[in-house]
């Protein structure tokens, strides 16, 4: 028989977000106010701290990959990080508005060289916060082949 105590599985628990994601809000032509961005940043930083303490301590992942499409909005003003810790498992799926999956426009310079660090999450969040304020990713103006150079500069 199968020893269930030794079998390791991945489980994904999803919560429905009636308000959608930060990305869907931006797609509708909306930007966020400074106060909203501050609250979103606080929620995301608390989420990242929790994930770093739990998932990363257990060495499940090197860093948490996220972008505006994975920042979920809820009616009570809470923002939650979606699909965190599953970048490789979800690599085959495409989220967002035609952006490269894996979020090269959200990747920090060290990730472009294949290095993943916990501090890289702060860069990715920063890119998302700028996107919330401006309504577009700061690297969106670059064609795909110039994105890496723009991030490194």
């Amino acid at each position: 028989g199968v020893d269930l105590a030794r079998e390791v599985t991945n489980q994904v628990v999803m919560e429905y977000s009636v308000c959608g994601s930060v990305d869907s809000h931006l797609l509708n032509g909306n930007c966020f106010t400074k106060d909203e961005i501050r609250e979103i940043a606080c929620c995301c930083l608390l989420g990242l701290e929790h994930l770093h303490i739990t998932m990363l301590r257990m060495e499940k992942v090197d860093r948490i990959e996220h972008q505006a499409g994975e920042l979920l909005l809820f009616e009570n003003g809470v923002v939650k990080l979606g699909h965190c810790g599953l970048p490789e498992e979800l690599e085959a799926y495409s989220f967002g508005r035609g952006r490269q999956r894996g979020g090269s426009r959200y990747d920090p310079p060290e990730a472009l060289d294949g290095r993943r660090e916990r501090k890289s999450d702060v860069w990715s969040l920063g890119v998302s916060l700028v996107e919330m304020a401006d309504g577009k990713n700061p690297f969106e103006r670059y064609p795909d082949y110039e994105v890496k150079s723009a991030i490194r500069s």
Side-chain angles (χ1 to χ4, degrees):
V2 176
D3 185 359
L4 296 178
R6 291 179 178 237
E7 190 171 319
V8 178
T9 62
N10 285 330
Q11 296 181 9
V12 177
V13 177
M14 299 183 75
E15 183 176 0
Y16 179 69
S17 170
V18 139
C19 299
S21 67
V22 165
D23 200 43
S24 66
H25 189 75
L26 294 171
L27 276 172
N28 290 326
N30 302 305
C31 287
F32 293 86
T33 67
K34 288 180 185 178
D35 289 339
E36 289 170 331
I37 293 170
R38 183 186 66 241
E39 291 299 318
I40 290 169
C42 288
C43 287
C44 291
L45 289 169
L46 287 170
L48 286 174
E49 178 185 42
H50 173 74
L51 290 168
H52 284 170
I53 289 170
T54 56
M55 290 176 71
L56 298 175
R57 183 189 309 149
M58 296 183 315
E59 297 180 9
K60 295 285 186 191
V61 292
D62 296 322
R63 61 180 281 266
I64 309 302
E65 182 178 309
H66 62 86
Q67 56 194 43
E70 287 95 30
L71 303 179
L72 307 175
L73 304 172
F74 290 85
E75 290 176 319
N76 60 356
V78 172
V79 176
K80 296 184 180 182
L81 304 172
H83 99 60
C84 293
L86 301 173
E88 289 79 24
E89 288 86 342
L90 297 177
E91 192 171 301
Y93 299 96
S94 176
F95 298 100
R97 43 188 149 148
R99 288 185 217 140
Q100 289 177 260
R101 184 67 201 123
S104 69
R105 286 177 167 80
Y106 295 85
D107 281 346
E110 64 272 9
L112 300 175
D113 296 326
R115 293 188 332 267
R116 295 175 175 250
E117 301 176 20
R118 293 177 184 185
K119 69 179 183 179
S120 302
D121 297 325
V122 177
W123 171 283
S124 299
L125 177 58
V127 172
S128 293
L129 296 173
V130 170
E131 185 172 10
M132 288 177 226
D134 293 343
K136 61 182 181 205
N137 184 292
F139 301 105
E140 197 169 284
R141 67 178 186 244
Y142 297 100
D144 290 345
Y145 63 90
E146 290 182 6
V147 171
K148 289 182 180 182
S149 296
I151 289 174
R152 285 189 173 111
S153 63

